[in-house]
Tab-separated table of all heavy atoms in Angstrom:
chain	number	residue	atom	x	y	z
A	126	SER	N	127.227	113.692	153.463
A	126	SER	CA	127.557	112.823	152.352
A	126	SER	C	126.425	112.581	151.453
A	126	SER	O	126.500	111.824	150.484
A	126	SER	CB	128.065	111.485	152.913
A	126	SER	OG	127.027	110.846	153.584
A	127	MET	N	125.299	113.166	151.764
A	127	MET	CA	124.101	112.918	150.953
A	127	MET	C	124.101	113.753	149.703
A	127	MET	O	124.614	114.855	149.643
A	127	MET	CB	122.831	113.253	151.763
A	127	MET	CG	122.464	112.222	152.750
A	127	MET	SD	121.114	112.809	153.759
A	127	MET	CE	119.853	113.077	152.559
A	128	SER	N	123.551	113.196	148.713
A	128	SER	CA	123.276	113.978	147.524
A	128	SER	C	122.066	113.376	146.852
A	128	SER	O	121.726	112.230	147.077
A	128	SER	CB	124.477	113.944	146.562
A	128	SER	OG	124.599	112.661	146.027
A	129	ILE	N	121.444	114.153	146.063
A	129	ILE	CA	120.195	113.695	145.439
A	129	ILE	C	120.492	112.486	144.540
A	129	ILE	O	119.787	111.505	144.589
A	129	ILE	CB	119.587	114.809	144.598
A	129	ILE	CG1	119.193	115.927	145.549
A	129	ILE	CG2	118.395	114.334	143.824
A	129	ILE	CD1	118.799	117.176	144.832
A	130	SER	N	121.580	112.582	143.819
A	130	SER	CA	121.836	111.481	142.893
A	130	SER	C	122.238	110.207	143.612
A	130	SER	O	122.213	109.146	143.047
A	130	SER	CB	122.952	111.887	141.968
A	130	SER	OG	124.106	112.224	142.707
A	131	GLU	N	122.556	110.354	144.898
A	131	GLU	CA	122.935	109.197	145.642
A	131	GLU	C	121.718	108.338	146.009
A	131	GLU	O	121.877	107.175	146.373
A	131	GLU	CB	123.602	109.637	146.944
A	131	GLU	CG	125.098	109.412	146.919
A	131	GLU	CD	125.679	109.716	148.259
A	131	GLU	OE1	125.793	110.882	148.602
A	131	GLU	OE2	126.003	108.774	148.972
A	132	CYS	N	120.605	108.958	146.014
A	132	CYS	CA	119.422	108.213	146.422
A	132	CYS	C	119.219	106.989	145.554
A	132	CYS	O	119.341	107.071	144.343
A	132	CYS	CB	118.160	109.088	146.303
A	132	CYS	SG	118.194	110.447	147.473
A	133	PRO	N	118.950	105.881	146.216
A	133	PRO	CA	118.696	104.678	145.432
A	133	PRO	C	117.525	104.915	144.498
A	133	PRO	O	116.446	105.270	144.922
A	133	PRO	CB	118.326	103.619	146.482
A	133	PRO	CG	118.801	104.194	147.761
A	133	PRO	CD	118.784	105.669	147.625
A	134	THR	N	117.766	104.733	143.252
A	134	THR	CA	116.713	104.925	142.319
A	134	THR	C	116.650	103.735	141.383
A	134	THR	O	117.468	102.846	141.437
A	134	THR	CB	116.923	106.196	141.467
A	134	THR	OG1	118.085	105.991	140.698
A	134	THR	CG2	117.090	107.401	142.344
A	135	ASP	N	115.693	103.804	140.541
A	135	ASP	CA	115.558	102.758	139.576
A	135	ASP	C	116.542	102.995	138.454
A	135	ASP	O	116.183	103.258	137.324
A	135	ASP	CB	114.127	102.687	139.029
A	135	ASP	CG	113.160	102.428	140.149
A	135	ASP	OD1	113.571	101.827	141.146
A	135	ASP	OD2	112.004	102.845	140.037
A	136	SER	N	117.770	102.943	138.840
A	136	SER	CA	118.881	103.162	137.905
A	136	SER	C	118.603	104.325	136.977
A	136	SER	O	118.505	104.186	135.789
A	136	SER	CB	119.160	101.892	137.124
A	136	SER	OG	118.016	101.432	136.491
A	137	GLN	N	118.491	105.446	137.586
A	137	GLN	CA	118.326	106.712	136.846
A	137	GLN	C	117.105	106.732	135.973
A	137	GLN	O	117.055	107.389	134.968
A	137	GLN	CB	119.552	106.960	135.981
A	137	GLN	CG	120.821	107.144	136.766
A	137	GLN	CD	120.756	108.275	137.772
A	137	GLN	OE1	120.209	109.341	137.459
A	137	GLN	NE2	121.258	108.103	138.968
A	138	GLY	N	116.109	106.037	136.399
A	138	GLY	CA	114.875	106.057	135.657
A	138	GLY	C	114.077	107.325	135.944
A	138	GLY	O	114.626	108.316	136.451
Side-chain angles (χ1 to χ4, degrees):
Chain A
S126 65
M127 283 172 60
S128 70
I129 296 170
S130 58
E131 254 187 285
C132 294
T134 66
D135 301 332
S136 54
Q137 298 301 321

